[in-house]
Structures are given as C-alpha cells and as structure tokens.
C-alpha cells in the first residue's frame, strides 16, 4: 500500500470555512496503485458480509483484504475474452453478483467460485446492478437500446416498451426506493415503476447527460446529471416539490456521474472528468454557495477519472479510478492553515488564561479563539523567538530586542531587553517575575523595574524555562541539568541525579514535576525522583511536550507521534515501573504530517475549548480529545488458504489432507480497512499450541511435523483501535496416518516386538536352564563322589570294626556281663551301618526315563500305610526322560508329601497324578484326609516342623512352583509344576496321551 497523501491539505472550488469533520480536507487519504497490485481501471466496488471488498476492474474480478488483491476467475463456461467487470452488487442475502463487459453477462459467486446466471443477449457493458425491495435483480445495460433486464424467478427478462419504456431511450441509472418503487433515469427523462404495478410512468422531468440516482439516509431520492446534483420530489407519493430545492452544480465537464451518501448524510460524487466532490449534510444545505469541496489529482487523487464509489462497514469512503483505488477516512489530527510560511524557522504555541491559543511563525503572530480557526493578530519587524503564558490572561512574546505582553486584542506592555541576543524561552512565575533565557547572558529575571542576572547553583547555558504546578520557574541547562527556583532559593539536579539523560523538557504534572529526556521520564515527588526507563517503555523516548487535562488524560508528543494515556495509569506506573502502560499512539496513519520540532519552548498546549495544539517541523496540528474518531467495528476474520507440501486449498473450512502431509502453512486475514497495517492477530492450533499465539501483524501461521489426527485452527483479529472480534475464524483439518503410522502397523510392530521378546526370553531361559543343568550335574557328581567315599572309607571301615569287635565278643564268656554290653553295642553299630548305607543309597538315588511312577510307588510302600488306604497313580502324556537332578528332587518332594499324608492326613484315598505336558512336568498328590489348617497354609509351615519349607526350597532349586492347598471336597492337595526347559533332558515334542497305570496298595 502506498500512502499517497496522509492528509488532504487543500480543496479546490468554493469550500466552506474550516470546521472539524465538515469537508473533504477532514479525511485522511490513502491510495493503492498498480505498484500495490491494483489492476487497471477500477470500475466497480462492493463489500460482502464476509468483509472482503470486491473490486471490478478491466482485468477481471478481485477481492481485497486491505493488503492483497486476489484474482477471482470467471465461471468455467464464461465467454472467451469478456473479462472486464463493469458492475457489482451484494444482495441482501449476502451473495456477490458481477456483471461483465463484452457480452459476458452476469455471474454470481457461490461455493467459492463464479457461476453463470443464464443471461442471454447481454449488453456490451452493464453499468449498474441493483436489487429492489422485493428481491428482484436489475441490470442496466448502459448506452444501448433495450438493454434493461430483470432477474425474477430464476431467469432474466428484457424490460422494454411493453413495460412503458421508450425504445429510443438509453437507461442511465436505476434506484430502488424504500416504498418498493423503482426509479429509472434515461438519457432524456425520469420514469417510476410504482410498487405492485408492472408499467413505468414518466414523471415529466427532463434530464441532462450522464444521470445517476441514489438514496440518502432519510430515504430521499437524489439525481445527479450534467445539470447538477439535487434532491427529487417523492413522485411515487404524488409530490411535485422536493424537500430541498438546492442544486449543486459541477465545476467542469460532465461525462458520467456517480453519487453516494455516507451514513452521516454527506454526499460524495464524481463527474468522471474532474475528480470527486463532497457536500457535508447535503440535505441540510440552504445554498450551494461554499458547500462543495473537491479533490483532484493535484491534491493526490490517483486520477480525475473517478468511476465508482463505496462506503465500507467501518465508514471509510472508497473511490475507484482508472489508475487505482483511493480511500478517505475520518481523521483525528488536523493540520492548521495558517500559519504555513514559518516551517524553516519553526513554530511557537502558548495558550492564555482566557482559553485563546497563540501561534507564532517567523514574524507573524496568530490567535485562535475557542472553537475558531487561527487569524493573523500582528506582524513584527523582527522574528519572534519565544512565546509563553503570562498572568491575568496574557501571553509574552520575545524578539531579539524586547519582550511584549499581549492581552486580549491589544498590546498591554513592552519591555526592552538588555543588549541584543537570542531568546530561548520565557516564563512568568506566581510572584509576577518574568524570566527570560538568553543564549549570551544566561537567565534574566525582571524584578521591579529592572533586569537582573539570576545566580544559579549549576553552570550551563539556559535552553528553556517552564513553570511547575506550584508556579515556580524551572530552568533547563544544556540538556544536562535543571534548576528550580522557589522564592529566592534555587536548587539544581544533574541528569545523573535525575536518572534521565539528554533532557528534552520539564512539565508541571498534576502529581509532581515531570522531567523528560532521551533516557525516559522522571517524576519529582516527595523529595525524590521516580523513573520510567525506555528499556521498559521505548515509546517514552524524547518526550518534548506534555499536557494533562481535567478529563484525567495525559497527552505527550515526541518523534513517535502523539501519545494518549490515562493520568492514573501514568501515576501508577511510577510505583510499578516495569509494568506495561496502556496508551494510544496517533502517528502518520492518523494524519501526523511531520516529526516534532527540535526547537525550544512549549511544544503542546490546550485551548479553552479543550482542543490540543501541538507543533511539528512542517506545521501546527490540532486534535480534539472530545471528538476522537474510533473504529468500533471488530474486523471479520477469514482463513484464505491452507498449503500443505505445495498444495494450496482456497477458502478452507474443513479439509481432509492426504496421508503424510505433516508440514503446512495457513494464510489468514483481518478485514479491517481503516488502517490495515495496524490489524493484529492471535491464533491457536488446538492440541498443538498451549495458548494463543501473538504473531503481531503477520498473516500466516506455520506448522511442521504434525502427527496424524484431526486439528482445529482458530484465529482472531483486532482493528486499528485495538477492538477485537470475539468470534474467531475456524478451520478443521484431518491428517490421516500413513501405513507406518496406522494402528495396523503399530499392531504389527507390537506383535514383532512380542515375538522378539518371547524369542529372547526363550533363549534366556534355555541359557539359564543350561547353566542350571551344569550346576545340577556338578552337584550330582559331587553327591556320587561323597557316596563313593562314604561307602569305600567310612562304611567299609565301620564294617571292619564291627567284625573285629564281633570276634572279641565271641571270645568272651557268655556269662560275662561285658559280653552282653558289647553285643548290644554291636547291634547298635549294625543299625547305624544300615542307616549309613541308606544314606549312601539316597545320595546315589538316580532314576531313568520310565521309573518315575515306580519310584513313587516304592516311596509309598515304604510309608507302610494302613491296609484300608487306597493309593492310585495316573500318568498323563507320553513319558519323557527327566533331568537326573530334577528326578532326584521330585523323589524327595514325593517322599516328604507321602510322609506327611501317612503321618497327619488319616486318609482313605490317595490320588497321585503324573503329567508329561509339552510346556511342563507336574506331580499332584491329593488325599481325602483331615486337611491342612488355614494357619499352616498362611504361615507355610507347622511350628517346630520343616517339611513344607524344605519342599518349597527343593522346588525353588529347580525353578519350579509348589502349590499346597485344600483339596476340593476335603483333604489336601500338593502340586509340583516344573517348566519344560528345566524338567526334561530333551525338548522334543510329543503327542498327548493318557496313561493310567499302577494299582492299589493296601
């Protein structure tokens, strides 16, 4: 966007006297041309309910968001070559209708594309599209006979002599009135189609060339043609006299007129040859004299050939010309004329106690009474060097030779200054003393009838003098120090003591003296300085003027622009200096024409009418705080496109993206046109962003490496005045998973991992089993060695001793008592020897692949169960050889289990089940005896007995599980389960079968 003219500076023709908001000079002007993407020849403008501004051009149809012009192609079956768009209409239902030149007919924008409406024999150029009260669409064919058409019941019909229109007339313009009537202006006369009728009636009004019709906000019909612009009588109601008879003439040739009323009743228009004109409250004007202001190329308009007019929803006026697009919007800052000739020398401003504002420029002095514009007050023979407020409604001005007091409309006093020199500032304190800062002489003070040089506690040349809130003078010295004089006492502070470098001004704030500079802002209060640093508040740098109003506002001016903030917020900031300070900025977007002056003296002051006057390098400007134009319309937000890996989706609302599209960008826009560069955004992608993202003014969001799923993107925007639209635009999109991201792949990976885990587990178990077998074989070999040693040494030796003692006993007489004792000892030795042989046999208890059942039967027979006890053994599965140590531990566990049954159970039935399963080996002992107590089951042992713990320990040695529990129906059940990898000598598979062997022992 190119800002062609920040502020309209002058008006041609007979303009009214300057007053806020009453002429075209009160509007800010901005332009867009081909350098900003505007296609050639803007012929039609419209704004849809979505907020976009639609632009019909010689190159086709575009939609505009304030930044970008986006081309909208015609319907696929559009006639070739008929590209120029000559008229636009947004219907009450919100649809956009576009008329194409070259016989292209009319199309409507639906579902994100243009659609044909079925118009046949279309005119070469359709100049207007209108909708009447009943919803019918009218198309005006322009400079062609029989070119008026009406769209009704889904089709177009020609409106010709059958409806009362002469074939020889060209239709120039059509407008629909509020009462339902339709007004038509031809190249010769005016016709009306009354509501409910089907025939046009002439009203007897002859027309000039280039007629155009428009309604004002009150419902009055207006006509503009080569004879001028005027209000029409309400012919439909039978009236013959308009409410206003003022005719506003054109100042140049008329080729084709266009008029528009804005929401305030101001009339805007063009004649196609002389730019545009504006009439404030046209219906209320009593005379055309001095009421018309115009704007042409010499004022900044892109072209004098203005074709189309539009007021958008924010109140901005748009003008389409042959070379671009112009925008006019209400301004808050106004440049003052005069003064104009003093830019090179700078300006001075001061307000007196009566509310008048005095302005000085070069040798000229101006005065502006409250509510009025400045008028020349006097011209002096020497340049004015300073201007300041005096007492009793007066002001002082200084030249190189004298001080002059002005009060009202006269000169009240003149004082000669000692010598000739430059005056940098002046001030009158509460005691009536006049203070003057002179470059060569320092600070002069007027006491009584003479001038005296002030004795200041700090050195330096005086730059300026101000009066604080208590009426005491404060002098700025070389931008490095200040001195405050109270009565006859002067006290000074350096910039280091103040905490602000590069001093630019001192101001008598309501809550304390304010000192500004390049390093920030300080306040003197309660005997100390409080500071606001530019590191925390960059916009406070170099404040050159401060005004605090009775409305509780503080206004500051610096190179950033004009700043507005609440005085309470400023006071609060000095107690919490790091917190943000809410403020508004008025800069070139609001009409600021230049940067602040670098000169000394007051830079901003308030008049008696509440308006603020401030100085820039190029002009004097004014703002009325009570009449600020504020944009209260929250901008609609639109999501323009989503681009995923190079594929762009336009105007998306809900999208299913191809699988694997994980990197995307989303373009969005805020449709606020007052100051598009100030539109700010917030967005959030739910499920990704933890909160709202603030991208500032950026209109695009980027996301990478998104996971598959459904996402919801939301974006909201604020306008140039910070008003947010509370209804975000939303976009929902889905990223399906690729095969590698699908649940089936995840399941496949899980199965593979599970299989790998099982394989690793199997390998680990086999490895552990192998290590265990090695240790078991080592233990078995050690047991066999011990058994051999016991048999070959101890038992053999004991046997030999027994034989020798037996020989001794045989030699002793049978009657000898010692023989009886010796024989008893030998009997005991035989018993011990037998027990020793049993233990050796136990150490060498090694079974085979088919003797586990026999081994258990032998153990059972050794327990000597009562004859009534029946024992049965069942073997399930194909018997397989057990590992020798497993066989041994099973035998010992079986021995202990049967011993416990024999000793404690009092059982009648004992069932033993041996299982050779593919995944385990098991032995179960079940009896129908008295059962095991809950206390023993809980403890895992009987007090003073170690049978059960021993069984558990033996099972643990072979990594097996031993379960002891009550049997169903009574009794006890002992179940030993040994894993396959531990139990069997080989791991070959075997078929399942059931072997029932054994019998009963009774």
């Amino acid at each position: 966007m190119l800002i062609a003219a920040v502020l309209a500076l002058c008006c041609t023709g007979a303009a009214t006297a300057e007053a806020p908001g009453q002429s075209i000079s009160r509007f800010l002007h901005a332009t867009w041309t081909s350098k900003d993407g505007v296609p050639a020849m803007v012929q039609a403008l419209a704004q849809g309910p979505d907020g976009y501004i639609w632009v019909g051009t010689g190159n086709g149809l575009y939609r505009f968001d304030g930044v970008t012009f986006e081309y909208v192609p015609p319907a696929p079956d559009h006639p070739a070559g008929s590209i120029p768009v000559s008229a636009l209409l947004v219907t009450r239902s919100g649809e956009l209708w576009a008329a194409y030149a070259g016989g292209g007919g009319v199309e409507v924008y639906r579902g994100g594309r243009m659609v044909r409406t079925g118009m046949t024999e279309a005119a070469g150029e359709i100049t207007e599209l209108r909708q009447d009260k009943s919803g019918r669409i009218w198309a005006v064919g322009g400079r062609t006979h029989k070119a008026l058409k009406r769209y009704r019941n889904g089709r177009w019909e020609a409106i010709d002599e059958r409806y009362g229109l002469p074939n020889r007339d060209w239709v120039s313009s059509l407008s629909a009135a509020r009462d339902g009537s339709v007004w038509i202006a031809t190249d010769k006369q005016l016709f009306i189609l009354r509501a409910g009728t089907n025939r046009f009636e002439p009203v007897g009004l002859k027309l000039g060339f280039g007629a155009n019709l428009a309604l004002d906000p009150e419902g009055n019909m207006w006509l503009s043609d080569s004879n001028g612009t005027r209000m029409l009588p309400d012919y439909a109601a039978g009236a013959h006299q308009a409410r206003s008879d003022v005719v506003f003439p054109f100042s140049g040739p008329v080729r084709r007129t266009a008029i528009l009323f804005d929401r305030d009743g101001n009339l805007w228009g063009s004649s196609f040859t002389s730019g545009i004109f504006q009439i404030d409250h046209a219906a209320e004007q009593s005379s055309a004299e001095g009421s018309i202001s115009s704007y042409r190329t010499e004022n900044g308009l892109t072209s004098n050939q203005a074709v189309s007019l539009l007021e958008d929803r924010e109140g901005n006026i748009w003008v389409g010309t042959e070379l671009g697009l112009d925008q006019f919007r209400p301004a808050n800052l106004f440049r003052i004329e005069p003064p104009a000739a003093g830019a090179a020398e700078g300006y001075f401003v001061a307000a007196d106690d009566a509310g008048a504002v005095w302005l000085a420029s070069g040798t000229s002095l101006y005065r502006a009474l409250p509510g009025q514009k400045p008028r020349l007050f006097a011209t002096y023979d020497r340049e004015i060097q300073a201007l300041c407020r005096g007492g009793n409604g007066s002001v002082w001005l200084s030249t190189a030779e004298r001080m002059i007091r002005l009060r009202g409309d006269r000169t009240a006093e003149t004082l000669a200054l000692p010598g000739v020199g430059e005056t940098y500032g002046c001030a009158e304190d509460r005691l009536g003393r006049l203070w003057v800062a002179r470059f060569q002489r320092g600070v002069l003070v007027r006491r009584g009838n003479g001038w005296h040089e002030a004795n200041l506690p700090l050195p330096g040349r005086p730059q300026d003098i101000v009066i604080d809130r208590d009426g005491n003078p404060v002098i700025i010295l070389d931008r490095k120090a200040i001195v405050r004089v109270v009565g006859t006492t002067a006290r000074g502070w350096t910039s280091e003591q103040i905490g602000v470098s590069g001093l630019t001004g001192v101001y008598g704030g309501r809550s304390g003296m304010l000192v500004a500079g390049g390093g920030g802002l300080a306040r003197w209060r309660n005997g100390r300085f409080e500071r606001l640093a530019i590191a925390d508040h960059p916009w406070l740098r170099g404040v050159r003027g401060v005004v605090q109003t009775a409305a509780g506002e503080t206004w500051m001016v610096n190179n950033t622009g004009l700043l507005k903030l609440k005085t309470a917020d400023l006071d609060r900031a000095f107690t919490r200096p790091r917190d943000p300070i809410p403020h508004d900025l008025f800069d070139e977007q609001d009409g600021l024409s230049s940067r602040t002056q670098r000169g000394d003296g007051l830079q901003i002051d308030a008049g008696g009418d509440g308006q603020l006057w401030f100085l820039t390098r190029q002009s004097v400007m004014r703002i009325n705080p009570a009449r600020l134009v504020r944009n209260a319309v929250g901008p609609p937000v639109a999501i323009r496109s989503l681009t995923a890996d190079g594929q762009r989706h336009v105007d998306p609302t809900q999208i299913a993206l191809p699988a694997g599209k994980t990197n995307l960008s989303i373009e969005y826009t805020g449709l606020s046109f007052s100051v598009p560069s100030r539109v700010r955004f917030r967005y959030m992608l739910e499920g990704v962003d933890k909160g709202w993202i603030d991208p500032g003014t950026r209109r695009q969001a980027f996301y990478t490496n998104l996971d598959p799923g459904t996402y919801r993107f939301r974006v909201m925007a604020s306008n140039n005045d910070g008003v947010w639209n509370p209804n975000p635009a939303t976009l929902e999109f889905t990223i399906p998973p690729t095969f590698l991201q699908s649940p089936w792949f995840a399941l496949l990976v899980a199965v593979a991992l599970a299989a790998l885990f099982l394989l690793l587990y199997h390998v680990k178990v086999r490895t552990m089993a192998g290590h265990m077998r090695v240790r078991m074989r080592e233990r078995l070999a050690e047991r066999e060695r011990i058994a051999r040693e016991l048999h070959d040494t101890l038992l053999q030796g004991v046997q030999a001793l027994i034989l020798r003692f037996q020989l001794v006993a045989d030699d002793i007489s049978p009657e000898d008592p010692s023989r009886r004792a010796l024989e008893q000892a030998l009997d005991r030795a035989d018993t011990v020897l037998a027990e020793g042989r049993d233990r050796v046999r136990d150490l060498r208890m090694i079974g085979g692949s088919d003797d586990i059942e026999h081994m258990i039967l032998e153990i059972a027979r050794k327990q000597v169960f009562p004859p009534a006890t029946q024992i049965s053994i069942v073997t399930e599965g194909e018997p397989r050889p057990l590992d020798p140590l497993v066989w041994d531990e099973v035998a010992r566990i079986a021995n202990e289990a049967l011993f416990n049954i024999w000793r404690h159970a009092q059982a009648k039935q004992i069932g033993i089940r041996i299982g050779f399963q593919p995944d385990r080996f098991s032995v179960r002992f079940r009896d129908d005896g008295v059962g095991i107590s809950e206390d023993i089951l809980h403890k895992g042992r009987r007090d003073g007995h170690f049978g059960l713990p021993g069984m558990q320990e033996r099972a643990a040695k072979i990594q097996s599980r031993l379960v002891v529990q009550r049997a169903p129906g009574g009794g006890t059940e002992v179940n030993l389960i040994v894993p396959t990898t531990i139990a069997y000598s080989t791991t070959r598979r075997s078929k399942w079968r059931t072997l029932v062997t054994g019998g009963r022992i009774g």
Side-chain angles (χ1 to χ4, degrees):
M1 182 186 74
L2 175 64
I3 303 296
V6 174
L7 189 65
L9 300 180
C10 62
C11 304
T12 60
T16 59
E18 182 179 3
Q22 288 189 354
S23 72
I24 217 168
S25 64
R26 298 303 151 196
F27 290 83
L28 297 175
H29 176 221
T31 65
W32 289 259
T33 64
S34 58
K35 292 182 291 185
D36 307 299
V38 180
M41 196 62 191
V42 178
Q43 301 184 89
L45 296 169
Q47 185 175 33
D50 58 2
Y52 279 105
I53 289 181
W54 294 83
V55 185
T57 75
N59 291 341
L61 180 63
Y62 292 78
R63 67 178 186 180
F64 179 47
D65 66 352
V67 176
T68 304
F69 292 87
E70 181 182 4
Y71 178 65
V72 179
D77 53 346
H78 186 87
S82 304
I83 297 301
V85 174
S86 55
L88 294 173
L89 168 69
V90 174
T91 66
R92 287 192 291 274
S93 63
E95 288 187 328
L96 175 81
W97 291 57
Y100 289 84
V106 177
E107 296 179 359
V108 60
Y109 186 75
R110 289 174 181 161
R113 63 190 183 93
M114 301 303 292
V115 178
R116 301 289 291 170
T117 62
M119 177 181 282
T120 59
E121 297 181 354
E125 181 180 10
I126 296 175
T127 58
E128 288 184 352
L129 287 173
R130 299 287 186 262
Q131 184 178 29
D132 63 22
K133 188 176 181 180
S134 64
R136 296 171 297 186
I137 307 296
W138 298 77
V140 176
R143 297 176 295 277
T144 307
H145 297 300
K146 299 183 180 181
L148 180 64
K149 295 183 181 294
R150 180 175 63 185
Y151 187 81
R152 183 175 61 171
N153 299 326
R155 65 184 184 87
W156 290 99
E157 59 180 335
I159 305 299
D160 50 24
E161 67 275 1
R162 296 173 299 168
Y163 296 89
L165 292 181
N167 287 334
R168 62 184 181 277
D169 288 0
W170 293 349
V171 177
S172 297
S173 181
L174 181 147
S175 183
R178 292 180 180 178
D179 61 2
S181 61
V182 176
W183 299 50
I184 286 182
T186 71
D187 59 337
K188 297 181 178 65
Q189 57 183 321
L190 182 68
F191 293 85
I192 291 181
L193 177 66
R194 300 179 188 274
T197 67
N198 204 31
R199 189 172 184 81
F200 285 93
E201 306 170 13
V203 300
L205 179 65
K206 301 302 181 182
L207 304 181
F209 184 76
N212 189 253
L213 296 168
L215 282 177
D216 67 16
E218 300 300 323
N220 302 303
M221 188 69 69
W222 286 69
L223 172 72
S224 183
D225 61 11
S226 56
N227 297 322
T229 303
R230 56 208 180 272
M231 183 189 296
L232 294 177
D234 188 358
Y235 291 115
H240 298 282
Q241 184 67 35
R243 187 168 63 88
S244 171
D245 59 358
V246 178
V247 178
F248 301 96
F250 286 99
S251 59
V254 175
R255 179 177 173 187
R256 172 182 170 185
T257 66
I259 54 174
L260 168 76
F261 281 91
D262 65 25
R263 63 190 64 179
D264 296 323
N266 302 315
L267 175 63
W268 299 74
S270 78
S271 63
F272 195 74
T273 60
S274 304
I276 63 172
F277 66 91
Q278 189 242 357
I279 304 169
D280 288 336
H281 305 289
E284 301 173 9
Q285 296 291 338
S286 60
S287 171
E289 182 69 24
S291 61
I292 305 174
S293 59
S294 59
Y295 202 84
R296 301 188 177 96
T297 53
E298 57 265 30
N299 307 118
L301 198 68
T302 53
S303 172
N304 280 336
Q305 290 192 4
V307 181
S308 53
L309 300 168
L310 169 71
E311 181 185 25
D312 67 23
R313 60 199 298 268
E314 296 170 282
N316 305 306
I317 303 298
W318 296 83
V319 179
T321 76
E322 61 170 343
L323 294 179
L325 194 60
D326 294 72
Q327 180 204 59
F328 294 87
R329 61 185 178 89
N332 282 313
L333 305 181
F334 306 108
R335 182 171 177 173
I336 303 303
E337 299 291 350
E345 296 81 11
Y347 304 96
F348 298 98
V349 62
D352 60 30
D353 295 339
V357 175
W358 299 77
L359 302 171
S361 174
T363 60
S364 300
L365 180 67
Y366 301 84
R367 183 177 66 159
L369 297 176
Q372 298 184 21
K373 68 176 184 179
R375 299 182 183 277
L376 183 63
F377 181 84
T379 300
Y380 298 90
D381 57 351
R382 302 295 295 271
E383 178 186 337
I384 299 172
Q385 297 181 347
L387 193 65
C388 60
R389 177 179 298 195
N392 300 320
S394 66
V395 294
W396 287 94
L397 70 83
S398 174
T399 65
E401 299 173 344
R402 60 186 183 269
M403 297 293 299
I404 302 172
R405 184 197 293 269
L406 304 168
R407 182 179 289 114
D409 56 359
R410 64 186 180 84
T411 299
E413 185 178 1
T414 300
L415 301 174
L417 288 168
V420 176
E422 292 184 77
T423 301
Y424 276 29
C426 62
E428 185 175 348
D429 65 18
R430 59 186 175 85
L431 301 178
R433 296 177 297 186
L434 178 60
W435 299 76
V436 178
R438 307 212 79 188
F439 186 79
Q440 294 87 353
R441 299 288 301 273
V443 177
L444 301 177
V445 58
R446 179 81 175 185
R447 294 196 303 268
N449 295 324
W451 293 98
H452 305 273
E453 187 172 346
N455 185 18
L456 303 180
L458 293 176
R461 294 173 298 183
Q463 300 290 142
D464 199 3
I465 302 176
V466 299
I467 300 297
D468 67 13
R469 62 172 180 166
D470 298 321
N472 302 308
V474 181
I475 302 108
I476 303 176
L477 300 174
D478 282 332
R479 308 291 181 199
K480 297 179 180 179
I482 64 172
V483 173
R484 180 169 178 252
V485 181
V486 180
T488 59
T489 303
R491 181 180 180 183
W493 298 272
T494 64
S495 58
E496 290 78 9
Q497 293 172 318
I498 298 171
V500 175
S501 60
L503 303 181
T504 55
V506 178
Y507 316 101
R510 293 176 180 266
S511 60
M513 180 176 63
L514 298 174
V515 182
L521 188 68
R523 181 178 69 174
W524 172 260
R525 188 177 185 186
N526 298 328
R528 66 185 185 91
F529 282 103
E530 303 164 317
R531 301 167 186 84
L532 297 175
I534 60 169
D536 302 313
H537 314 285
W539 49 275
L540 282 176
R541 181 189 298 273
V543 172
R544 303 192 66 85
V546 176
V547 168
Q548 292 184 327
T549 68
E553 296 174 345
T554 295
W555 293 79
M556 302 179 182
V557 61
N558 62 5
N559 277 334
T560 306
L562 188 63
L563 301 163
K564 173 196 170 189
L565 58 156
K566 293 182 179 179
T567 302
D569 290 340
L570 179 63
D571 292 339
R572 189 181 305 112
F574 281 109
T575 61
R576 303 179 64 179
R578 302 296 296 274
D579 291 355
I581 308 174
H583 65 281
D584 295 324
L585 172 65
F586 299 86
D587 57 14
E588 62 272 9
Q589 301 280 15
D590 301 282
L592 187 67
S593 61
S594 180
R595 300 302 180 188
T596 57
Q597 291 189 145
R598 297 188 61 84
D600 301 300
L602 195 63
Q603 301 294 307
I604 183 171
D605 211 344
D609 55 5
Q611 297 190 74
L612 304 180
W613 303 66
F614 63 99
L615 309 177
T616 71
R617 299 183 184 186
Q618 299 295 323
S619 64
V620 178
M621 305 207 69
R622 183 178 63 190
I623 186 170
N624 189 344
R627 298 182 60 181
L628 294 179
V629 178
R630 179 173 173 80
N631 185 359
V633 180
V637 185
I639 298 176
R640 296 181 55 190
S641 67
L642 181 148
T643 303
D645 293 339
Q647 184 176 0
R648 190 169 186 261
H649 305 268
V650 179
D651 294 340
T653 56
Q654 192 170 12
I655 298 178
L657 297 174
K661 301 293 185 180
T662 61
N663 302 325
L664 55 87
S665 64
I666 301 173
E667 295 181 40
Y668 48 83
T669 187
L671 299 168
S672 176
F673 297 92
S674 293
V675 188
S677 61
R678 288 184 182 172
V679 176
R680 298 184 64 87
F681 299 91
R682 295 174 186 161
Y683 65 77
M684 176 172 61
L685 184 60
E686 295 179 359
V688 176
D689 299 323
K690 295 181 179 179
W692 288 98
I693 305 299
D694 184 0
T697 59
R698 177 166 50 86
R699 300 181 178 224
Q700 198 171 23
F702 302 91
Y703 291 95
T704 59
N705 300 323
L706 292 177
D707 295 326
T710 297
Y711 296 90
R712 189 166 180 258
F713 179 79
R714 294 192 293 161
V715 58
M716 57 194 305
S718 69
N719 65 17
N720 55 299
D721 284 324
V723 177
W724 289 88
N725 185 338
N727 302 313
T730 61
L731 165 62
E732 188 173 285
F733 60 92
T734 300
I735 302 177
T738 62
F739 174 74
L740 297 181
Q741 297 170 321
S742 66
W744 292 108
F745 180 76
L747 179 61
L748 182 62
V749 171
V751 170
L753 291 176
L756 179 60
F757 175 78
L758 291 176
L759 177 62
L760 294 176
Y761 175 77
H762 183 68
V763 171
K764 181 67 174 178
V765 170
R766 288 178 60 88
T767 302
M768 293 176 62
H771 293 164
M772 187 173 180
R773 285 194 181 95
V774 171
R775 293 196 299 270
M776 291 169 67
R777 290 189 181 97
E778 291 175 352
R779 289 174 56 193
L780 186 61
E782 182 64 14
R783 288 175 57 180
E784 291 179 346
R785 185 190 65 79
I786 293 173
R788 287 194 302 271
E789 292 294 333
L790 289 175
H791 181 272
D792 294 343
T793 57
L794 179 63
L795 293 182
Q796 295 293 344
V798 171
Q799 181 67 38
L801 288 175
I802 292 174
L803 291 176
R804 294 187 64 179
F805 276 104
Q806 185 64 51
L807 292 175
V808 173
D810 291 341
D811 293 338
I812 299 175
S813 172
E815 289 82 12
D816 191 342
S818 60
R819 178 173 178 166
R820 180 175 178 82
L822 184 58
E823 287 179 346
Q824 291 177 348
L826 288 174
D827 291 339
R828 178 60 182 163
D830 287 338
T831 302
V832 171
L833 183 60
E835 292 178 353
R837 288 194 182 98
D838 290 341
R839 294 294 179 264
V840 171
R841 185 191 62 201
D842 289 343
L843 287 174
R844 300 178 64 89
M845 187 183 295
I846 303 174
S849 62
D850 57 353
D851 62 355
I852 186 69
E853 180 179 324
H854 178 73
M855 178 267 291
I856 292 178
L857 285 173
E858 287 298 321
I859 292 173
R861 290 190 182 100
K862 288 174 59 178
Q863 303 303 325
V864 192
F865 284 98
T869 302
Q870 295 184 354
I871 302 175
S872 64
I873 299 181
V874 176
T875 300
E876 295 179 343
E878 183 178 354
R880 297 172 60 180
L882 298 179
D883 188 271
L885 192 56
V886 172
W887 189 94
D888 187 54
E889 296 294 349
V890 170
R892 295 181 183 279
I893 292 173
N895 184 75
E896 184 66 29
L898 291 171
F899 175 77
N900 287 336
I901 295 173
W902 171 78
R903 186 174 182 181
H904 303 291
Q906 304 175 21
K908 300 299 184 183
Q909 297 285 340
I910 301 174
I912 303 172
R913 184 180 297 273
I914 303 171
F916 291 92
Q917 290 92 4
D919 61 338
R920 62 183 175 177
F921 168 79
S922 63
V923 181
R924 188 187 69 189
F925 302 90
R926 179 184 290 176
D927 65 70
D928 62 352
V930 297
I932 190 169
S933 68
E934 289 291 340
D935 182 62
I936 295 175
L937 284 177
H938 179 70
K939 293 181 178 179
R941 63 188 298 169
R942 185 191 300 271
D943 292 340
H945 297 262
F946 303 97
L948 288 178
M951 295 168 68
Q952 294 285 1
E953 291 172 359
R954 291 184 182 279
K957 287 181 181 179
I958 56 175
Q959 297 186 356
S960 305
R961 184 162 61 96
L962 183 71
V963 180
V964 181
Q965 60 187 6
R966 287 181 177 273
T972 304
E973 179 179 292
V974 177
N975 195 4
L976 174 66
I977 302 171
V978 186
T980 298
T981 54
I982 302 296
Y984 304 126
S985 294
T986 62
T987 57
R988 63 181 177 84
R989 296 182 177 272
S990 61
K991 295 185 293 181
W992 284 68
R993 67 185 180 89
T994 302
L995 298 177
V996 181
T997 61
R1000 295 178 179 176
I1001 299 176

